[in-house]
Amino acid sequence: MNRILEVEHLKKYFDTPRGQLHAVDDVSFSLEEGKTLGVVGESGCGKSTLGRTILHLIEPTSGKIVFDGKDISRVNRTQWKNLRDDMQIIFQDPMSSLNPRMTVSDIIAEPLRLQRKLKKNEILTEVRKLMNTVGIAARLENSYPHELDGGRRQRIGIARALALEPKFIVCDEPVSALDVSIQAQVLNLLQDLQEERKLSYMFITHDLSVVKYISHDIVVMYLGQLVEKAPSEELFAHPMHPYTQALLSAIPVPDVHAKRERVILKGEITSPVEPKPGCRLIARCRYATEKCRAPQTQIEVSPGHFVSCCRVNELNH
Ligand SMILES: Nc1ncnc2c1ncn2[C@@H]1O[C@H](COP(=O)(O)OP(=O)(O)O)[C@@H](O)[C@H]1O
Ligand SMILES: [Mg+2]
């Protein structure tokens, strides 16, 4: 298996009046070609910052990013432009990410105009192919985003991301703003595209039930750090970190006999500004003890299943 993306010790700190905000704090993972990595966690835990840093839409503070065998930890202007051919992003809210004054056809054409030397009619041919690929009727090519429903707008966002035939797409909460019935259609489209084009996805969401369906591997993020990573089935079958267990227990179970204990997290997510060195869940974790104040390391509990909790073995035996 070819690794399309390797991220090692990635950090993104923002300077704020109150001190440094550790939005992404020493994150490491890898992604295999043609697979989907789900990135899950509550709002504000650093998911979007992680995705944008990998794409160099914001510059990392430190750490290593290897994409398709090339070290892209630091890039200049030309390299940055070349990355856009291979790495793209789909946003949560297509309404705010699509220019309201541009037609569907112009929106999808834009990356081609900026990155490719094509004639007008060649671009139009490409745009029509892309519209067909994502299931947008040709008659809508001169419509504006506000004239379309959320599902169609997101399909346009997907068509635009596909225009340059990327290898890797960061999907940043792409279905979170959509009705549940439409969510499944968009997820199916993303999966079909992955199979046809061998695409690799980083799929960001705060909703674990969405990633279960689409991800091969999952990382769970809490306050800028990965607390657990595992193959998707393993994570759902054996969640080990108290935070993952709490997230999972919040998903409704359809079978009444399969009643699970609901694990409630106390309190709000703590501040990511100048965090203390120990486990960041301390204030909210009912299992927290004195030793949780020390920096946490990743413990491999079974092959490929990592948990950043010093109490994982006592709690899950
Ligand atoms: N440009 C920025 N400047 C300062 N802080 C930021 C900036 N972007 C994000 N943050 C902060 O970084 C943290 C992570 O944000 P974000 O990556 O958007 O989280 P998520 O996508 O998981 O909701 C939050 O505390 C947010 O306020
Ligand atoms: Mg976000």
Side-chain angles (χ1 to χ4, degrees), residues 36-48:
T36 299
L37 176 79
V39 178
V40 200
E42 284 163 291
S43 174
C45 72
K47 305 180 296 296
S48 296

Side-chain angles (χ1 to χ4, degrees), residues 164-183:
L164 301 172
E165 302 188 317
K167 297 181 177 134
F168 170 67
I169 302 181
V170 172
C171 308
D172 192 351
E173 309 251 12
V175 299
S176 302
L178 305 176
D179 292 344
V180 177
S181 57
I182 311 285
Q183 285 190 358

Side-chain angles (χ1 to χ4, degrees), residues 73-90:
S73 311
R74 298 269 167 243
V75 292
N76 62 32
R77 202 62 217 166
T78 326
Q79 292 164 324
W80 189 90
K81 199 161 179 269
N82 290 338
L83 281 187
R84 297 283 73 80
D85 281 4
D86 287 334
M87 308 172 104
Q88 285 288 329
I89 185 163
I90 302 168

